[in-house]
Amino acid sequence: TYQVRQPILKKDAEGGSYIEYGPAVPIVAEMWSGGCKLQTEMYGNRLPNIRNLRLDGAYYEVPGGINGKVSYQMEDGPEIAAGDGVCIYAAADQEPDYQIVAVYPYSHLTLEVEKR
């Protein structure tokens, strides 16, 4: 079980932007390290920081979902989009330690996440 947290764009008193993360929502997924030929070509030196997550459960696509991006609503779970934070080794009440960089809608929803 891992935790997904949606980013929320905020502005400070001086008008600068920063990101806070919403509440943690649990997901059940199988995780493995990045390492196929395509990921090696795509990420190069960053490959040790890449993990893949295959989520259990049905989902459907939400066009223009979160912040106008395509997202995926898990049945009985969160809405997931690229840019969301994921707590893999971090506790649910901490800042996410990984960020979703790609979402692949196969028979199972598959996420590529990168260490922040």
Side-chain angles (χ1 to χ4, degrees):
T1 300
Y2 304 102
Q3 308 293 323
V4 173
R5 299 181 68 187
Q6 293 180 347
I8 301 168
L9 188 60
K10 299 275 188 164
K11 292 205 179 264
D12 60 19
E14 297 176 359
S17 298
Y18 65 97
I19 293 178
E20 283 187 4
Y21 287 92
V25 181
I27 58 170
V28 175
E30 174 187 358
M31 181 180 67
W32 67 95
S33 299
C36 68
K37 183 177 178 181
L38 178 62
Q39 286 183 324
T40 301
E41 290 174 6
M42 286 174 50
Y43 297 111
N45 294 349
R46 296 172 26 214
L47 189 61
N49 297 327
I50 300 295
R51 301 285 181 270
N52 298 290
L53 297 173
R54 188 180 80 180
L55 279 61
D56 291 335
Y59 68 91
Y60 60 90
E61 184 175 314
V62 180
I66 302 169
N67 298 325
K69 298 185 284 186
V70 173
S71 61
Y72 299 89
Q73 178 65 52
M74 297 297 299
E75 192 173 276
D76 300 325
E79 189 171 342
I80 296 173
D84 289 357
V86 180
C87 298
I88 291 182
Y89 301 110
D93 60 346
Q94 296 176 327
E95 287 286 308
D97 53 345
Y98 282 77
Q99 183 174 16
I100 299 172
V101 293
V103 181
Y104 298 106
Y106 303 134
S107 60
H108 288 83
L109 198 60
T110 303
L111 312 176
E112 282 182 351
V113 297
E114 183 172 14
K115 187 163 182 62
R116 297 181 53 215

